[in-house]
Amino acid sequence: MCGIVAIIGKHRVAPLLVDALKRLEYRGYDSAGVATLQDGMLDRRRAEGKLVNLEKVLAENPLGGTIGIGHTRWATHGAPTENNAHPHFCEGVAVVHNGIIENFSEIRDQLTSAGAHFSTETDTEVIAQLLASLLRSGKTPKEAMQATLSSLKGAYALAVLFEGENEQIMGARNGPPLAIGHGDGEMFIGSDAIALSPFTDDITYLEDGDWAILNRDHVEIFNADGNTVQRPRSKASSAYAQVEKGNYRHFMEKEIYEQPEVISHTLTHYIDFATGKVREVSSQLDFADIDSLKIAACGSAYLAGQFGKNWLERYARLPVEIDVASEFRYREMPLPGRQAALFVSQSGETADTLASLRYCKNNGLRIGSIVNVRESTIARESDVVFPTLAGPEIGVASTKALTCQMSVFAALAIGAGRARNTLSEAEEKDMVRSLSEVPRITGSVLHQIQPQLEILSRELSKFHNVLYLGRGNNYTLALEGALKLKEISYIHAEAYAAGELKHGPIALIDENMPVIVIAPHDRHFEKTVSNMQEVAARGGRIIFITDENGARASNLETMATIVLPNVDEFIMPLIFMLPIQLLAYHTAVFMGTDVDQPRNLAKSVTVE
Ligand code: F6R
């Protein structure tokens, strides 16, 4: 949801801003722009579309100056045109903004009746206009900034330049994250620490309501009341510096192949494989003392929660209610009795997930979160943080973050089962042993199935609609398969619980609708095979994703059968995720879509 960056440094800043924006492009890529101050004068370059377009504009018409701000946009208000691209200027004020100003039309109306002329359709322009009007009325930049912030309602991370003020940049945060980077005679602002990793790993995160004035060797931070505050400095993870594609064509491909390693790191954090037991951390949500658990998240993280629900209910006998966070936050549900809440988020910044967390917190629930970005808001507002050790995920479509979230849930299910006495020590050992095999099996499966899936994806790319079916955890896999396929290949895909087929979707079956059935030889197998037979009887084409036992037990004619090794049912979802990811990936590559930055999407959804 938009990335912002600002640098006050020693060198020509425009190329550095673009370098930082490249690391933020996953947040939005509709348009981009930079502005600098040179000899006290503001100038800017902007371009519609991806950052490469801005680079071309800058190559033809470079910008000087050692102080500047930059932006990569995911449009909310106003089309993604050059005119709506940030930075927005008004009478010597330049602003870049991530978020949504909810009272922008009110402010716009007030300023318009006082004679202001707006030149864009964005909500952000009101910030530049408001600052300019306050400067006109005689306020200093600092006074204007404080007064402006107190008028804004909504979510924002901002960076602001003032003409004539060659030695200062201002930043502010209310909602979306904002990191301040400390350099040697240079200071930086970024939407995240990854953007700043080429320059510094010495980071201060602003808190909600904070704003800051940066000069070359100092930052002063204020809270919403304008009082100076100290915020801690921390070292950003060294992994942030390593966000390169290496020999892979896309980040998504790299991230798929990193899974054996990052799943192993994540599992090791929660499980002591030497003793065959889960570590203390896995039971920190007081599982023995609660009667039920609420889970909320969005997109693939929500589906991780769905696997978590299935495992926690089955192995720990813990009732779990899960909802997508955009619904959860507005349901006004009662939260009586002994409950805890768990939120799942790669970025740790998703607006709906954060709002759901705050709802539960205000109702007195103990809050846990499974997050990949440890410094994120969701992590900071949780009582217990369960980190995923996936490293930075750059591809917009989640892969390794999801399987790491699932790995955490698998460990928590064992921890909860032990705490609630629903699993014996021997069962714990067996489950831990199964999990210990996941990194090895995922590594070999990825290499084994890749050629077949690459060929199959060419076939799949000829269709406009795809149906995914499964039962139990395989239904959750089906949902993820459909989500991944539509988001990166733009093929319309739907997932159904196989048992629901007869209740409606079977009407869609014909030779133009491939049906991908996920059915390893588990306790649902026979039932799902009956559903496959119903599809086959109606001329449907089946892509059958199964295991060796499942392949042996079925003699149905299929368009393709993908056979995975037989594994313990507990870890099946982690293994069966792989063909789903590779099928979506290769189909998208074959269709020539922008795999890492699919249209209309952004990785970190910090607005509703
Ligand atoms: C799908 C995908 C999204 C995210 C969702 C939540 O491939 O990546 O559905 O899972 O936007 O994001 P986080 O996990 O950052 O809260």
Side-chain angles (χ1 to χ4, degrees), residues 128-144:
Q129 291 267 5
L130 198 52
L131 283 165
S133 77
L134 291 161
L135 291 176
R136 236 183 291 127
S137 74
K139 292 206 184 302
T140 63
K142 183 178 170 187
E143 289 163 350

Side-chain angles (χ1 to χ4, degrees), residues 298-301 344-347 350 396-398 405 483-484 487 605:
C298 300
S300 293
V344 192
S345 177
Q346 186 285 126
S347 62
T350 301
V396 163
S398 187
Q405 288 158 356
L483 177 62
K484 217 88 306 173
E487 81 180 310
V605 184

Side-chain angles (χ1 to χ4, degrees), residues 310-324:
N310 293 347
W311 279 324
L312 284 161
E313 290 188 339
R314 182 166 181 200
Y315 299 115
R317 311 306 300 155
L318 175 64
V320 177
E321 195 203 342
I322 176 165
D323 204 349
V324 288

Side-chain angles (χ1 to χ4, degrees), residues 6 28 57 152 203 276 301 432:
V57 171
L152 300 179
I203 301 291
V432 165

Side-chain angles (χ1 to χ4, degrees), residues 83-128:
N83 189 53
N84 286 331
H86 301 214
H88 290 292
F89 276 14
C90 183
E91 297 168 20
V93 177
V95 177
V96 288
H97 166 220
N98 166 30
I100 290 179
I101 305 301
E102 284 164 12
N103 59 340
F104 89 100
S105 43
E106 203 180 304
I107 300 176
R108 192 175 165 133
D109 290 349
Q110 278 164 13
L111 291 169
T112 307
S113 15
H117 294 287
F118 281 78
S119 56
T120 76
E121 302 157 293
T122 66
D123 53 337
T124 305
E125 194 184 351
V126 300
I127 305 171

